C-alpha cells in the first residue's frame, strides 16, 4: 500500500522566486558598491600613504626624530628610530620632523602591611606618555599632533637594587611598546588627506 503522490502547489511561487532573485541581486550590488568605497589597505604594503607617491615604508623613513632629554624618553626615541628606519641610517634630507615630549608616572600598585608601622609596596606600574608633533620640514607647519600612553607592571622586591632594576625593565618594556604605538599613529596620520 502506498500513499498517493501529492501534487506540489506552485501557485504564487513563481512570483516569490522572482522577488527573491531581485532581492539577492540588489544585495550583491549594494555589497559591490560598499567594497568599492573601502579604503582599508595593509600598513606594511608598498602602497603609498595618503597623497604621497612613495611607499609607506619610505614615507615613514623620511621622518627625523628630534633629540630628547631623559633616559626613558631616549629609550622611546631609539626604539622609534629603529622602527621607522628598520636599522638603516637616518635620512639625509628628511621630509618631516618629529618632536616627542615623553613623561613618566610611577605608581605603587599593591601594598603589603608588615609588622612595622610602614607599608611596603610589592608591585608597581610605570606609565609612559608621549605627546608628539609631526612637522613638515619645507613649510614648517604641523602635519599631525597626538598623544599615546602605555603602562607596564612590575614586581617590587624588598631588595632595593632588585626593585630599581625591575622598574628600569618595566620602563624599557613601556618604551618599546610606546614606540610601536607612535609608529602606527604616524603612519595613520600620514595616510590622512592633507
Amino acid at each position: 500500500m502506498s500513499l498517493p503522490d501529492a501534487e506540489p502547489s506552485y501557485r504564487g511561487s513563481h512570483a516569490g522566486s522572482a522577488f527573491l532573485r531581485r532581492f539577492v541581486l540588489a544585495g550583491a550590488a549594494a555589497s559591490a558598491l560598499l567594497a568599492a568605497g573601502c579604503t582599508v589597505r595593509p600598513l606594511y604594503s608598498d602602497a603609498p600613504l595618503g597623497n604621497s607617491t612613495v611607499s609607506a615604508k619610505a614615507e615613514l623613513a623620511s621622518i627625523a626624530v628630534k633629540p630628547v632629554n631623559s633616559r626613558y624618553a631616549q629609550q622611546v626615541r631609539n626604539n622609534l628610530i629603529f622602527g621607522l628606519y628598520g636599522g638603516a641610517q637616518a635620512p639625509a634630507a628628511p621630509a618631516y620632523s618629529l618632536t616627542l615630549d615623553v613623561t613618566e608616572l610611577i605608581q605603587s600598585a599593591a601594598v603589603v602591611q608588615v609588622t612595622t608601622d610602614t607599608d611596603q609596596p610589592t608591585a608597581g606600574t610605570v606609565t609612559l606618555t608621549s605627546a608628539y608633533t609631526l612637522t613638515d620640514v619645507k613649510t614648517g607647519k604641523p602635519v599631525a599632533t597626538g598623544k599615546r600612553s602605555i603602562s607596564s607592571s612590575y614586581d617590587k622586591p624588598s631588595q632595593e637594587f632588585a626593585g630599581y632594576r625591575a622598574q628600569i625593565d618595566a620602563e624599557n618594556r613601556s618604551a618599546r611598546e610606546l614606540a610601536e604605538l607612535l609608529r602606527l599613529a604616524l603612519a595613520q596620520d600620514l595616510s590622512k588627506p592633507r
Side-chain angles (χ1 to χ4, degrees):
M1 189 164 177
S2 67
L3 293 172
D5 292 333
E7 289 277 333
S9 172
Y10 291 106
R11 196 179 323 158
S13 67
H14 184 54
S17 74
F19 173 76
L20 183 61
R21 190 174 305 127
R22 284 187 202 135
F23 183 73
V24 169
L25 287 175
S31 297
L33 285 175
L34 284 174
C38 184
T39 60
V40 176
R41 64 180 172 265
L43 176 63
Y44 301 110
S45 73
D46 289 332
L49 293 174
N51 301 335
S52 178
T53 58
V54 298
S55 71
K57 185 177 178 181
E59 185 88 11
L60 289 172
S62 69
I63 299 173
V65 184
K66 290 186 177 179
V68 291
N69 57 6
S70 64
R71 192 203 78 78
Y72 52 85
Q74 186 65 40
Q75 288 291 321
V76 173
R77 182 178 183 266
N78 289 347
N79 286 300
L80 181 58
I81 286 172
F82 186 79
L84 292 174
Y85 309 150
Q89 189 173 1
Y96 303 99
S97 174
L98 181 68
T99 304
L100 296 176
D101 181 22
V102 183
T103 57
E104 178 184 46
L105 175 65
I106 300 172
Q107 297 174 311
S108 292
V111 176
V112 172
Q113 196 168 17
V114 292
T115 56
T116 62
D117 291 337
T118 61
D119 294 338
Q120 179 181 356
T122 59
T125 303
V126 173
T127 303
L128 292 182
T129 303
S130 178
Y132 67 91
T133 303
L134 184 66
T135 308
D136 190 331
V137 171
K138 290 180 184 175
T139 63
K141 294 183 180 179
V143 174
T145 59
K147 190 177 198 178
R148 298 292 184 271
S149 184
I150 197 82
S151 298
S152 291
S153 299
Y154 64 98
D155 288 332
K156 200 170 188 179
S158 59
Q159 197 177 38
E160 186 176 346
F161 178 75
Y164 179 70
R165 185 67 239 179
Q167 177 184 324
I168 295 295
D169 290 343
E171 284 177 358
N172 293 342
R173 280 193 314 275
S174 288
R176 279 191 307 271
E177 293 177 25
L178 182 57
E180 183 62 23
L181 274 177
L182 289 170
R183 190 177 72 80
L184 294 173
L186 291 169
Q188 185 178 23
D189 290 337
L190 288 173
S191 67
K192 293 177 184 173
R194 293 185 287 279

